Amino acid sequence: MSESTSDADKIRNKRLAKLQSQATAPPKAADAAASGATAETIASSTSPSELETSVREPNQPYDVPASSSNTTPDTGPDMLSVNGEKTKKIRISSAGSSSAAPQNDHGPSLAEAMPSKTASLRSTSILPSSRDSIGVWQDRMLSSVFRVTIDPRTHQDSSGNALQMLPGLQTEMEEQGVDSLLNTEVLDQALLEAASNRRSGTPLDYLLGCWKRVVKQSRGMKGASPDESRYEIVKEARRLCMSYCIFAITIPDMFGWERPPSNPLTPHLLLGPEDERGACFDFLTEVAARFSDDDSIREALVGAMQEISQRLGTMTMNDDFRPYIYALKHVARFPPIVQALVQSPAFLPKDVPTHDLETSTFLGPFFQLSPLQEKVTTTFFSAGQAMDQASIVNAQKSLRMTLQIHQTDLLDIANHFIRSSKESRDKVLDWFALTVNLNHKRRAMQVDNAAVSSDGFMINVTVDRIDVDYLRRHPRVDIKEETKMNADQSTSDEFYAEAAGGSSNFISEIFFLTLAAHHYGMDAAINKLDQVEKDLKYMAKQMQRLEAEREKFINTPQYPVFENAMKRFRDRVDKAHSYKFALQGVLFDDLSQARSMQFMRYVIVWLLRLVAPPSNYPKKQLQLPLPTEQPSVFKCLPEYFLEDVVNNFKFIFRHLSHVITSTQSDELVTICITFLRSSEYIRNPHFKAGLVAILFYGIWPTYSRQKGVLGDLLNGLRFANEHLLHALLKFYIEVETTGAHTQFYDKFNVRYEIFQIIKCIWSNTIYRERLAQESKINVNFFVRFVNLLLNDVTFVLDESLSAFVKINDVTRELQSPNLEQTMRSEKEELLAELESRAKNFMQLTNETMSMLKLFTKALADSFTMREIVQRLADMLDYNLDAMVGPKSSNLNVPKKKEYGFEPIVLLSEIVDVFINLMDKPTFIEAVARDGRSYKPENFEKATGILKKYSPKAPEELAKWTKVGERVKKAKELDAQAEEDLGEIPDEFLDPLLFTLMEDPVILPTSKTTVDMSTIRSHLLSDPNDPFNRAPLTIEDVVPNTDLKSQIEAFKAEKKGKRNIGAEAMDLSSG
């Protein structure tokens, strides 16, 4: 080559030399990119005249085709007309070799049939002047496939397609004195001239169309009768066509076109394989096969796909995004292309910021597309809150269908990437891991949307050999900063510092990645929906407040400003509603939630096996309570492993209960009972409350199931029969203190749900029998439960009834015509607050009284123990007095039904509790000893009310009358006993209640003596010594036997004096 040859020419010549080596290769290697020899070796072994090329400098942009002009005959044998200019012919056929001539098993080869020509520009003999059948066929086939001709009389092929005249090649062949028949020997020159002189489109547009036609021709040959010569001709035409396609992609200036600013292959990948100019399956197969020998086409294809990804990153679902998805689906079917994509630095850049994850990684833009993008939500729900329900439902169905199609495509893409090779699988898993690891903040209390990925992106990422040691083998999922199930940070760090040996299997990788993706995707979106609904409620209140101030601005200069502010606020509200509807459309999808539920069932089984090794659950049932020693591997798990189970099933039961059946719920019921019964395994009380909520939502009646999805299962499942009731009562006790600032009100919500579950199963005699048995065995446990139940009943009853009194007072004040407007407004706000408070507490009162009624009937002994019974009696007396006593008229409020207040029903339930305990002497005595609220007339008045409104059967009224009589008699006996005792020494009195001690005990730290029943009652709610606040348990107290003996002697002395006095009276009367 001359020294003046440019770098571009050198590259061009090397490519042509490589193509030449392919032409001389054996038939089996002709399809491949090149043999082992390098382009430089081939170029050095070939004469300069054979490789030299002199293509004119490009002077036109790539997207504007070069103008075609009439080509004048060449003035020399080596000249070819390209874009109207004389240029040396580029030769890519082998020199001095006949191996390119196809062989025919049925006759002589073409080389043998053709006379030798000297001084020919072609390296082998061309067809003879006599037109044999194969020569005519070859000319007709090549002309039809490549839409070219060198016969000025021919303008169309046999199918009527216009043919492009190649005057340069025609002139050359005339000068050589050969027949004007197209053949593979001159095809390279024909392709160069045809592609360089296009009237419209680009060289690649033309060549891709040729490629589709030559592939079709090749397939037709395979199906026809074998003709090796014809097949080899088509094979060589196919090889040359592909080579020139690659030239058009990598060195478009070879055809006189300027190198474009964007990748030349990009638009053809987007057109789809069926389009004339699209990259079809065979094209990509051939391109992928040449990767190992041609880095430039590999780089070009990877670059085109990266450009597609970048363009998609600027789009939403409102745009025409489908071609971009189809392009990736198409190329993902080719493992070599997938391998090239994942090896690119752009696939997973280092140190990518979280907010750029969706646009700066290769897969990010494909997964960011979602109906939750702001522009998309306002398109589906353009009217915002003004939309009617039918329109919202239809829009959500459309949205859901769009998302399902997109997610199916994403699954197909991910599946091909993962299955292509181990390297591509690992890179994809790395990308998913990066996605979840960078989005920890999506589950923060206050989420900065600019610092995390979008909801739609994270939801799209969501999808016996699970190895728990995966988390100790430098896992892709980063759990270091996650709160652990039941371990502090130092314990967790110490556990994970000891790395496990071996390697994790693919199933484990997918399991833990899916769980993390679900946590930061689906579960975070569920929380986001709750937050959006809260925000909308707040905005609605703000809107009302602003509208109330409108009158202040009417007819003032500030009114336009006010109107603009209101418009902006309404726009915000509409956008929030649009987003809410879109989020509901995504989350309320039966198919995705059913898949999510199925995965969560696997998580449940895995967790249950983990806490009770070597359990073979569900083949073998768990034994409760769980072992005292908790497995370290479970304690150090991220707590979201359980949190996602809780949130997922709560959401499904609340909104999509029809997608779950009782046959799918055994594992769910088991995990709820297990971690409520062995609640010490879970540190976070909110998760345990969530387990109760799952059972509560599971018994909600539906249109086809009176007891909900779980009601029948809770009554029929043996595991539930054995452990459910104890588990519920245990958490009823635990929830008294959650550690949260809202624990006082949280406990009432949880206990309300517990009551509903108990009511659902109470008709089952198995539960009641087991409850009675346990109450006799585990006395302290049931005493604690009864104590807290009494606390609740006392509190909610007092709050409800006092609220009604205040409502009456405020209502009377508002009736005054002299009340100032400001004061009236304040009173109206107070009344609204009182009404809301009364409604909430009355609902709790009804449920709590209902439970008290059930349990006093089933556990009478527990409710009449000395440490409990007096509090119960005092509470009942107080509320009976409030319902029928002198101040009962204060409860006569309007709108009773709106508050859930039914005085007769409430009075009836109070009476039922009295009746349930009437046979217990300690209860009757305790009622009689209530010196504050016990009044015999209250019993009589209650009898009259019950008779008048008839809520009780005659036999129940008879029992109630007998209760009153027994209490009255006990009161008389107690008064007599108190009179007989006379002055009681101070040292015999309980220092807290000032009553005569029955069983005095010494508190070990304060050395104070109190009655055993008093300290038992105190420790039920406070685990400290009441006199010095030192920690104290009932086992620590010491019986004061000496003092007890003194008290017994004192009582005996008083009793003896009373008996002597009685005898004296008898004698005197006699």
Side-chain angles (χ1 to χ4, degrees):
M1 280 189 187
S2 63
E3 295 179 359
S4 61
T5 305
S6 66
D7 290 341
D9 290 337
K10 291 178 181 178
I11 294 173
R12 221 175 280 122
N13 290 335
K14 288 180 180 180
R15 292 186 182 284
L16 297 176
K18 183 178 290 187
L19 183 60
Q20 183 183 33
S21 73
Q22 295 167 354
T24 60
K28 289 184 180 180
D31 269 353
S35 62
T38 64
E40 287 83 354
T41 304
I42 297 171
S44 63
S45 64
T46 308
S47 62
S49 61
E50 291 174 356
L51 293 176
E52 188 175 2
T53 179
S54 176
V55 179
R56 66 177 177 84
E57 292 298 319
N59 55 14
Q60 298 179 14
Y62 187 73
D63 53 353
V64 180
S67 60
S68 177
S69 58
N70 294 329
T71 307
T72 58
D74 297 300
T75 57
D78 290 338
M79 301 304 292
L80 178 67
S81 175
V82 179
N83 289 339
E85 298 184 9
K86 302 297 190 300
T87 179
K88 285 189 177 181
K89 172 177 67 65
I90 296 177
R91 314 160 79 163
I92 57 174
S93 28
S94 58
S97 171
S98 62
S99 62
Q103 298 294 317
N104 190 339
D105 294 339
H106 306 288
S109 67
L110 287 177
E112 294 171 346
M114 294 186 297
S116 174
K117 282 280 183 179
T118 60
S120 172
L121 293 176
R122 292 177 298 279
S123 58
T124 57
S125 301
I126 62 173
L127 291 171
S129 57
S130 60
R131 300 195 175 194
D132 62 314
S133 60
I134 195 168
V136 174
W137 174 85
Q138 182 175 200
D139 175 74
R140 186 173 63 251
M141 183 273 295
L142 294 177
S143 179
S144 176
V145 166
F146 296 99
R147 305 273 171 90
V148 294
T149 181
I150 53 178
D151 185 352
R153 298 167 300 176
T154 305
H155 303 288
Q156 294 180 336
D157 62 10
S158 58
S159 299
N161 297 303
L163 302 178
Q164 179 183 353
M165 180 63 188
L166 304 178
L169 182 59
Q170 177 201 14
T171 302
E172 176 190 345
M173 297 183 73
E174 288 177 352
E175 290 175 352
Q176 293 297 318
V178 296
D179 288 342
S180 297
L181 292 175
L182 287 172
N183 58 73
T184 55
E185 297 296 325
V186 298
L187 183 57
D188 58 333
Q189 303 166 42
L191 288 175
L192 179 62
E193 183 176 356
S196 301
N197 292 279
R198 302 302 301 166
R199 290 185 174 86
S200 62
T202 66
L204 187 56
D205 290 341
Y206 164 69
L207 291 166
L208 282 174
C210 296
W211 170 258
K212 282 183 166 58
R213 292 188 290 273
V214 76
V215 166
K216 183 177 180 181
Q217 180 68 37
S218 176
R219 289 174 178 165
M221 294 295 296
K222 291 179 181 178
S225 57
D227 187 333
E228 189 65 23
S229 298
R230 295 189 180 190
Y231 178 75
E232 289 298 328
I233 291 171
V234 175
K235 186 177 179 181
E236 176 67 4
R238 174 175 171 150
R239 185 188 68 81
L240 287 170
C241 184
M242 172 52 64
S243 297
Y244 272 88
C245 285
I246 294 175
F247 291 160
I249 295 168
T250 57
I251 46 176
D253 53 343
M254 172 179 172
F255 302 94
W257 289 77
E258 290 184 358
R259 190 171 296 276
S262 61
N263 194 297
L265 190 55
T266 300
H268 300 280
L269 291 172
L270 292 174
L271 285 173
E274 303 303 324
D275 191 276
E276 176 74 12
R277 297 177 296 120
C280 64
F281 183 87
D282 297 276
F283 175 80
L284 292 176
T285 302
E286 187 72 22
V287 166
R290 299 194 181 202
F291 273 5
S292 59
D293 297 299
D294 193 344
D295 290 339
S296 63
I297 187 58
R298 172 190 171 106
E299 294 170 1
L301 184 54
V302 170
M305 288 309 303
Q306 289 173 355
E307 187 173 311
I308 286 174
S309 173
Q310 291 167 2
R311 290 186 189 178
L312 187 61
T314 64
M315 294 184 176
T316 70
M317 278 192 167
N318 287 344
D319 302 310
D320 185 18
F321 70 93
R322 302 301 309 170
Y324 296 81
I325 303 297
Y326 290 147
L328 183 57
K329 281 185 66 177
H330 190 40
V331 303
R333 298 174 182 272
F334 302 89
I337 300 178
V338 172
Q339 190 80 354
L341 289 172
V342 300
Q343 289 174 350
S344 169
F347 185 83
L348 198 62
K350 293 182 178 179
D351 302 323
V352 58
T354 306
H355 57 274
D356 289 339
L357 191 63
E358 299 178 35
T359 55
S360 297
T361 60
F362 177 76
L363 291 176
F366 297 91
F367 280 82
Q368 77 153 347
L369 289 170
S370 166
L372 298 181
Q373 292 169 301
E374 182 177 333
K375 293 182 179 178
V376 183
T377 61
T378 54
T379 300
F380 275 101
F381 308 96
S382 56
Q385 60 181 329
M387 293 181 69
D388 61 84
Q389 188 60 33
S391 300
I392 293 173
V393 170
N394 289 333
Q396 287 176 337
K397 287 181 180 179
S398 175
L399 175 150
R400 205 172 289 133
M401 185 177 298
T402 302
L403 181 61
Q404 286 174 353
I405 293 172
H406 180 55
Q407 289 180 335
T408 301
D409 291 338
L410 293 179
L411 176 63
D412 184 64
I413 291 168
N415 190 41
H416 279 99
F417 268 74
I418 287 173
R419 292 176 181 272
S420 290
S421 68
K422 184 179 185 302
E423 181 182 6
S424 63
R425 184 184 74 189
D426 289 343
K427 283 295 184 71
V428 170
L429 294 180
D430 287 342
W431 181 80
F432 279 115
L434 179 67
T435 298
V436 297
N437 291 337
L438 289 182
N439 279 281
H440 282 204
K441 293 181 179 179
R442 278 182 57 81
R443 297 311 310 273
M445 293 295 291
Q446 297 293 330
V447 179
D448 179 4
N449 291 329
V452 298
S453 299
S454 64
D455 294 314
F457 173 78
M458 292 305 299
I459 289 175
N460 290 339
V461 171
T462 308
V463 170
D464 292 334
R465 295 178 58 198
I466 301 169
D467 184 1
V468 71
D469 284 335
Y470 166 84
L471 296 173
R472 300 172 67 190
R473 294 194 184 103
H474 307 290
R476 286 182 168 89
V477 179
D478 182 10
I479 62 168
K480 182 176 177 59
E481 296 182 6
E482 294 291 346
T483 304
K484 302 309 185 289
M485 198 79 77
N486 202 15
D488 56 27
Q489 190 64 46
S490 60
T491 304
S492 172
D493 291 344
E494 182 180 350
F495 176 76
Y496 287 111
E498 186 178 346
S503 59
S504 299
N505 56 55
F506 179 66
I507 293 175
S508 298
E509 291 269 15
I510 293 301
F511 175 81
F512 288 102
L513 271 175
T514 303
L515 195 50
H518 190 284
H519 179 62
Y520 297 112
M522 181 75 74
D523 199 48
I526 289 172
N527 287 348
K528 183 66 172 290
L529 178 59
D530 290 339
Q531 187 59 51
V532 169
E533 289 177 338
K534 291 177 183 177
D535 292 344
L536 283 170
K537 289 180 181 178
Y538 173 77
M539 286 191 283
K541 291 181 179 178
Q542 290 294 100
M543 182 69 78
Q544 290 178 355
R545 185 182 63 81
L546 291 173
E547 285 291 350
E549 296 180 357
R550 179 182 294 276
E551 293 183 1
K552 298 180 182 178
F553 297 97
I554 293 177
N555 300 324
T556 67
Q558 289 78 27
Y559 187 69
V561 177
F562 174 83
E563 272 298 315
N564 288 333
M566 288 295 293
K567 183 180 182 304
R568 289 194 300 270
F569 194 81
R570 279 192 290 267
D571 289 343
R572 281 181 55 202
V573 173
D574 283 341
K575 285 183 179 179
H577 273 97
S578 297
Y579 188 79
K580 171 191 169 183
F581 297 148
L583 200 52
Q584 288 176 333
V586 171
L587 294 176
F588 293 0
D589 176 37
D590 292 358
L591 180 60
S592 65
Q593 291 298 343
R595 288 172 176 169
S596 177
M597 179 187 67
Q598 187 67 23
F599 176 69
M600 287 300 143
R601 291 177 64 198
Y602 296 143
V603 176
I604 289 172
V605 172
W606 182 74
L607 287 173
L608 291 175
R609 290 187 176 187
L610 211 58
V611 295
S615 170
N616 194 26
Y617 180 83
K619 293 181 180 179
K620 185 178 179 181
Q621 192 57 266
L622 293 177
Q623 297 299 315
L624 295 184
L626 295 175
T628 304
E629 184 66 25
Q630 300 179 27
S632 296
V633 67
F634 176 80
K635 291 167 60 177
C636 296
L637 284 178
E639 67 177 12
Y640 71 72
F641 281 36
L642 181 62
E643 179 185 9
D644 281 16
V645 171
V646 171
N647 291 345
N648 182 250
F649 278 99
K650 279 172 59 179
F651 182 83
I652 290 176
F653 276 123
R654 286 173 61 191
H655 302 290
L656 300 165
S657 61
H658 57 274
V659 305
I660 183 171
T661 64
S662 57
T663 58
Q664 299 173 310
S665 305
D666 285 24
E667 306 94 345
L668 180 61
V669 170
T670 301
I671 197 171
C672 290
I673 295 174
T674 298
F675 289 127
L676 290 173
R677 180 68 176 82
S678 296
S679 56
E680 58 276 5
Y681 271 62
I682 308 299
R683 183 168 57 175
N684 193 325
H686 297 292
F687 296 164
K688 290 180 276 192
L691 296 173
V692 173
I694 288 174
L695 298 176
F696 168 65
Y697 291 131
I699 62 168
W700 266 9
T702 64
Y703 64 93
S704 59
R705 292 174 284 198
Q706 186 178 0
K707 292 186 176 181
V709 177
L710 300 182
D712 292 336
L713 188 62
L714 295 181
N715 279 288
L717 187 66
R718 181 179 177 183
F719 186 77
N721 295 159
E722 293 177 353
H723 303 291
L724 174 59
L725 199 51
H726 185 100
L728 292 174
L729 298 185
K730 182 179 181 182
F731 191 60
Y732 185 100
I733 296 170
E734 273 189 36
V735 80
E736 180 72 16
T737 54
T738 63
H741 67 281
T742 58
Q743 68 178 15
F744 182 77
Y745 296 101
D746 290 342
K747 69 179 181 181
F748 288 113
N749 293 331
V750 172
R751 288 170 177 171
Y752 172 82
E753 294 173 352
I754 290 175
F755 292 156
Q756 303 310 306
I757 300 168
I758 291 175
K759 286 167 69 176
C760 177
I761 62 175
W762 195 254
S763 59
N764 189 333
T765 56
I766 296 176
Y767 282 109
R768 300 202 301 273
E769 290 170 358
R770 291 193 65 85
L771 184 67
Q773 293 171 5
E774 284 198 52
S775 68
K776 296 174 182 177
I777 298 171
N778 198 347
V779 176
N780 288 335
F781 173 83
F782 279 89
V783 168
R784 293 177 63 198
F785 164 70
V786 167
N787 177 68
L788 292 173
L789 180 59
L790 289 181
N791 289 345
D792 289 351
V793 172
T794 303
F795 176 78
V796 297
L797 262 173
D798 185 62
E799 287 293 318
S800 300
L801 300 184
S802 61
F804 293 140
V805 174
K806 293 176 182 177
I807 287 173
N808 271 326
D809 294 340
V810 175
T811 302
R812 282 193 296 270
E813 291 176 6
L814 286 172
Q815 291 173 354
S816 173
N818 301 324
L819 196 63
E820 295 181 359
Q821 183 59 41
T822 304
M823 185 63 68
R824 182 176 295 277
S825 298
E826 292 178 1
K827 293 294 182 182
E828 287 174 347
E829 290 180 6
L830 176 60
L831 180 62
E833 181 182 340
L834 288 170
E835 288 177 339
S836 175
R837 185 179 182 85
K839 184 176 181 180
N840 293 334
F841 277 109
M842 199 62 231
Q843 183 182 27
L844 290 172
T845 296
N846 292 333
E847 296 301 328
T848 311
M849 281 302 303
S850 178
M851 284 300 100
L852 184 64
K853 176 182 172 181
L854 292 178
F855 280 105
T856 51
K857 186 173 184 178
L859 303 174
D861 289 337
S862 296
F863 281 89
T864 53
M865 295 181 68
R866 286 180 54 82
E867 54 266 41
I868 294 293
V869 68
Q870 193 60 56
R871 292 184 55 238
L872 172 61
D874 292 348
M875 182 273 294
L876 292 173
D877 281 341
Y878 175 81
N879 288 290
L880 181 63
D881 185 58
M883 295 296 296
V884 302
K887 297 182 179 180
S888 59
S889 58
N890 292 332
L891 303 179
N892 189 20
V893 293
K895 303 184 296 185
K896 291 185 180 68
K897 289 187 178 180
E898 289 186 16
Y899 305 133
F901 180 38
E902 298 181 69
I904 301 302
V905 174
L906 181 57
L907 175 62
S908 178
E909 291 192 334
I910 292 174
V911 167
D912 284 338
V913 175
F914 275 99
I915 293 174
N916 289 341
L917 303 175
M918 63 181 293
D919 293 327
K920 301 297 179 181
T922 53
F923 173 70
I924 297 298
E925 292 171 2
V927 174
R929 286 176 182 171
D930 178 15
R932 184 183 68 162
S933 302
Y934 168 66
K935 300 170 185 174
E937 58 269 24
N938 286 343
F939 283 77
E940 297 171 2
K941 192 169 184 180
T943 302
I945 293 173
L946 294 175
K947 286 182 177 178
K948 181 178 180 180
Y949 294 99
S950 302
K952 292 289 183 190
E955 55 270 22
E956 290 179 312
L957 285 174
K959 289 181 180 179
W960 171 241
T961 302
K962 187 175 290 187
V963 170
E965 293 172 353
R966 288 181 180 180
V967 173
K968 187 175 181 179
K969 184 176 181 180
K971 180 68 174 177
E972 294 171 354
L973 293 174
D974 188 65
Q976 181 62 50
E978 186 176 346
E979 181 181 344
D980 292 342
L981 287 174
E983 188 72 22
I984 302 174
D986 289 344
E987 62 270 23
F988 294 171
L989 294 175
D990 182 277
L992 293 177
L993 300 181
F994 299 101
T995 56
L996 180 64
M997 290 185 284
E998 300 286 338
D999 185 11
V1001 292
I1002 302 171
L1003 307 185
T1005 57
S1006 66
K1007 305 302 180 182
T1008 305
T1009 297
V1010 297
D1011 194 60
M1012 174 63 92
S1013 63
T1014 302
I1015 196 61
R1016 274 185 177 276
S1017 180
H1018 170 80
L1019 291 177
L1020 289 173
S1021 55
D1022 186 351
N1024 299 304
D1025 187 317
F1027 299 98
N1028 64 4
R1029 308 304 300 158
L1032 178 67
T1033 65
I1034 197 64
E1035 290 77 18
D1036 296 333
V1037 302
V1038 180
N1040 192 336
T1041 54
D1042 291 341
L1043 183 59
K1044 184 174 183 179
S1045 299
Q1046 295 175 31
I1047 294 173
E1048 293 295 337
F1050 170 77
K1051 291 166 64 177
E1053 179 186 355
K1054 294 295 184 181
K1055 184 177 181 181
K1057 288 182 179 180
R1058 185 186 65 183
N1059 292 336
I1060 293 172
E1063 291 176 2
M1065 290 179 64
D1066 290 341
L1067 290 173
S1068 62
S1069 62

